[in-house]
């Protein structure tokens, strides 16, 4: 116990994070058969939220030390310093509260507290990044000086300048991000040559939406705008490629009502994203979406027949998100063989798979797939999260050609997840035009 007390606060937090992660592994590995599935998923969700907040504590301690502690060492406590401390503490507290609004504050329209908390989370990410970058530059500068400048006043002066610059950049980027995030999605038109596409399907219009994330910061009003924009495109087929919702049906039943107004000549289809499984309510969502005339593709496919030739059709297939298997969600998990059952190699196959990794695996298994439509990455949504999204996905954003005749399109998402901001990315609704090749 005495040895534990001597550890630094950061190391204690890291050990706490490791303990939470260990409990998640234990509950998923050894308690899997002894806990009812819904209870298990809810336990995992709570564990995940605790893990995220414990990991955030490390960043919060870093921000606190860089923005508050060094100031306290410069001079006696002052009224301004006390106010600054209070502001930083409130800012960090709100950022930590953001994820818990997923459980506590979800309704037809976003709650103000949830919007403020998630905005603080976005600013938290930006501030942490710039404090770290400027800190690294400061260390490099000190190494170059090799100890020639050691005056405390000069070092403290640099610290003040560094913190001021980091805070100023954070404020500016937060405002820009909020303005960009509030803009309606762009309409992105993509023409894709499809091998073996029947002439009767030439110029067929498929509208792709994804990553709407109805929940704490996205509600009915924003969804109504999306539905109106999609209908104005007069699509033949509408596809929703996952992460539509972030909560249970009972919380969002009213918010998703605008989806019943979606209009397409040949149907509207949906596949799950990882966030649908986080809701622990996928089967109820399937039933509710069907009542809104949206057809879930649960490792299955639908034949889309031409309106001008009854002998022409394409195979529209959809797979469950790959994270269903990681979470051991009962009855769910990516099953490409089942999804493509009845789709031959001579058919035009369009596959809906939420994550780009699933798109890569699918094309490795079935290179005859003509087109895979994915989302998930948000185009990074906001810098610096862009870096992680780019490195962790085989396809990041936009159109990719794979092999001789296969394509992958990864949308940047139709709205955003949680943080109501966009930096170095833009929300989009994708108008895909299939062309015979």
């Amino acid at each position: 116990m005495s040895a534990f007390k001597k550890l630094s606060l950061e190391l204690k937090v890291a050990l706490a994070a490791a303990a939470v992660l260990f409990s998640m592994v234990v509950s998923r590995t050894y308690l899997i058969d002894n806990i009812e599935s819904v209870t298990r998923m809810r336990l995992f969700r709570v564990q995940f939220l605790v893990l995220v907040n414990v990991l955030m504590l490390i960043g919060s301690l870093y921000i606190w030390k860089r923005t508050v502690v060094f100031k306290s060492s410069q001079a006696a406590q002052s009224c301004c310093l006390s106010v600054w401390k209070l502001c930083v503490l409130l800012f960090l507290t709100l950022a930590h509260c953001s994820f818990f609004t997923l459980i506590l504050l979800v309704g037809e329209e976003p709650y103000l507290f949830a919007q403020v908390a998630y905005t603080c989370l976005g600013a938290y990410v930006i501030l942490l990044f710039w404090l770290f970058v400027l800190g690294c530059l400061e260390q490099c500068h000190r190494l170059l000086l090799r100890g020639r400048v050691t005056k405390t006043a000069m070092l403290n002066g640099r610290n003040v300048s560094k913190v001021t610059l980091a805070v100023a950049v954070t404020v500016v980027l937060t405002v820009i991000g909020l303005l960009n995030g509030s803009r309606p999605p762009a309409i992105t038109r993509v023409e894709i040559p499809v091998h073996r596409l029947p002439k009767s399907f030439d110029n067929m219009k498929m509208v792709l939406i994804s990553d709407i994330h109805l929940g704490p910061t996205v509600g009915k009003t924003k969804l109504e705008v999306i539905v109106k924009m999609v209908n104005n495109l007069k699509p033949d087929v509408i596809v929703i490629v996952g992460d539509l919702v972030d909560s249970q049906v009972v919380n969002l039943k009213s918010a998703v009502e605008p989806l019943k107004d979606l209009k397409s000549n040949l149907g509207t289809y949906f596949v799950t994203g990882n966030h649908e499984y986080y809701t622990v309510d996928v089967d109820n969502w399937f039933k509710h979406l069907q009542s809104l005339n949206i057809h879930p593709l649960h490792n299955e496919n639908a034949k889309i027949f031409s309106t001008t030739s009854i002998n022409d059709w394409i195979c529209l297939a959809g797979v469950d998100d790959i994270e269903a298997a990681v979470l051991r969600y009962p009855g769910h998990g990516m099953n490409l063989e089942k999804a493509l059952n009845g789709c031959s190699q001579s058919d035009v196959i369009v596959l809906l798979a939420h994550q780009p990794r699933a798109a890569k695996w699918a094309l490795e298994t079935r290179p005859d797939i003509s087109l895979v439509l994915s989302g998930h990455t948000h185009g990074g949504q906001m810098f610096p999260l862009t870096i992680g999204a780019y490195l962790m996905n085989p396809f990041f954003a936009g159109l990719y050609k794979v092999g001789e005749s296969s394509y992958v399109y990864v949308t940047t998402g139709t709205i955003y997840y949680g943080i109501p901001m966009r930096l170095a990315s833009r929300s989009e609704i994708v108008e895909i035009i299939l062309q015979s090749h």
Side-chain angles (χ1 to χ4, degrees):
M1 183 63 70
S2 60
F4 180 77
K5 289 181 179 180
K6 294 179 181 178
L7 297 176
S8 66
L9 186 56
E10 289 85 351
L11 187 54
K12 289 178 182 177
V13 172
L15 290 173
V20 176
L21 184 61
F22 179 73
S23 72
M24 293 172 70
V25 173
V26 169
S27 62
R28 286 183 57 247
T29 305
Y30 298 103
L31 304 180
I32 187 95
D33 298 323
N34 300 318
I35 302 179
E36 193 264 335
S37 59
V38 174
T39 303
R40 183 175 68 248
M41 292 299 296
R42 286 174 178 167
L43 173 63
F44 177 84
R45 196 178 192 193
V46 172
Q47 288 173 322
F48 177 76
L49 292 175
V50 172
L51 176 63
V52 169
N53 271 272
V54 171
L55 291 174
M56 281 181 63
L57 274 175
I58 299 175
S60 296
L61 289 170
Y62 183 85
I63 291 173
W64 183 262
K65 287 186 175 182
R66 295 300 181 275
T67 62
V68 173
V69 173
F70 82 89
K71 283 189 175 184
S72 301
S73 64
Q74 291 181 65
Q77 292 285 345
S78 66
C79 180
C80 290
L81 183 58
S82 298
V83 171
W84 173 251
K85 280 187 173 183
L86 184 61
C87 290
V88 174
L89 182 61
L90 178 61
F91 166 73
L92 294 175
T93 301
L94 285 169
H96 278 270
C97 287
S98 58
F99 287 105
F100 290 104
T101 63
L102 281 167
I103 298 175
L104 303 173
L105 292 177
V106 177
E108 180 178 315
E109 296 292 352
Y111 288 85
L112 178 61
F113 181 85
Q115 291 178 309
V116 172
Y118 269 102
T119 299
C120 288
L121 178 63
Y124 169 100
V125 173
I126 297 170
L127 179 60
L128 185 63
F129 174 79
W130 286 108
L131 283 175
F132 179 76
V133 168
L134 293 174
C136 289
L137 292 175
E138 175 68 18
Q139 290 299 320
C140 291
H141 187 239
R142 290 184 184 182
L143 287 174
L144 290 174
L145 292 177
R146 294 183 181 179
R148 282 177 289 178
V149 178
T150 58
K151 292 182 180 179
T152 303
M154 292 184 67
L155 293 177
N156 282 338
R158 288 200 201 102
N159 279 333
V160 172
S161 300
K162 181 177 67 178
V163 171
T164 302
L165 178 59
V167 171
V169 170
T170 298
V171 171
V172 170
L173 292 181
T174 297
V175 172
I176 293 173
L178 289 170
L179 292 174
N180 286 338
S182 66
R183 297 163 68 192
I187 302 297
T188 303
R189 181 184 171 93
V190 183
E191 297 179 353
I192 302 178
V194 179
H195 185 57
R196 301 188 306 272
L197 183 71
K199 288 290 184 181
S200 60
F201 280 103
D202 194 28
N203 291 320
M204 173 186 174
K205 185 182 295 184
M206 185 175 289
V207 172
L208 165 65
I209 57 178
S210 178
D211 300 283
I212 291 175
H213 290 284
L214 283 165
T217 58
V218 179
K220 185 176 183 178
T221 300
K222 284 186 177 293
L223 185 59
E224 287 174 339
V225 173
I226 300 304
V227 169
K228 184 177 180 180
M229 293 179 70
V230 169
N231 288 341
N232 287 340
L233 295 174
K234 296 179 170 52
D236 294 307
V237 176
I238 300 171
V239 292
I240 306 172
V241 192
D243 283 4
L244 172 64
V245 293
D246 277 320
S247 189
Q248 294 82 10
V249 173
V250 66
N251 296 327
L252 292 172
K253 192 171 183 178
S254 176
V256 298
E257 280 301 301
L259 291 177
K260 72 179 186 299
D261 297 323
L262 283 171
K263 297 175 183 177
S264 58
N265 297 327
L266 301 174
T268 301
Y269 298 87
F270 167 82
V271 293
T272 54
N274 52 312
H275 282 254
E276 270 74 40
Y277 293 104
Y278 299 160
T279 70
V280 202
D281 203 25
V282 177
D283 294 328
N284 285 331
W285 272 117
F286 279 178
K287 293 176 184 177
H288 189 62
L289 289 175
Q290 286 171 337
S291 74
L292 300 174
N293 203 30
I294 295 172
H295 310 290
L297 295 176
H298 175 33
N299 289 322
E300 56 190 315
N301 62 76
K303 290 183 178 180
I304 307 298
F305 288 92
S306 169
T307 56
T308 59
S309 176
I310 59 174
N311 295 320
D312 292 341
W313 57 278
I314 63 175
C315 180
L316 180 65
V319 290
D320 294 347
D321 184 70
I322 56 178
E323 205 146 331
V326 176
L327 297 173
R328 301 192 181 186
Y329 202 97
H332 291 258
M334 180 178 173
N335 188 331
L336 184 65
E337 182 179 357
K338 181 181 177 183
L340 297 184
N341 183 32
C343 302
S344 70
Q345 294 186 357
S346 61
D347 296 326
V348 171
I349 301 173
V350 177
L351 178 68
L352 310 181
H354 176 67
Q355 297 198 38
R357 284 185 295 164
K360 181 174 183 289
W361 297 344
L363 287 172
E364 289 173 347
T365 304
R366 287 287 298 267
D368 57 300
I369 294 173
S370 307
L371 172 64
V372 186
L373 301 178
S374 298
H376 185 64
T377 69
H378 295 220
Q381 183 163 324
M382 53 172 283
F383 187 84
L385 300 180
T386 313
I387 301 170
Y390 180 81
L391 294 175
M392 293 173 65
N393 292 280
F395 308 109
F396 177 61
L399 185 65
Y400 298 82
K401 186 174 183 180
V402 182
E404 294 184 1
S405 57
S406 297
Y407 289 87
V408 175
Y409 189 89
V410 181
T411 173
T412 57
T414 306
I415 303 188
Y416 46 69
Y417 168 62
I419 300 171
M421 296 164 58
R422 283 271 184 178
L423 282 173
S425 71
R426 178 74 190 275
S427 301
E428 65 176 2
I429 294 171
V430 189
E431 183 183 26
I432 296 173
I433 308 299
L434 303 184
Q435 298 182 328
S436 58
H437 175 60

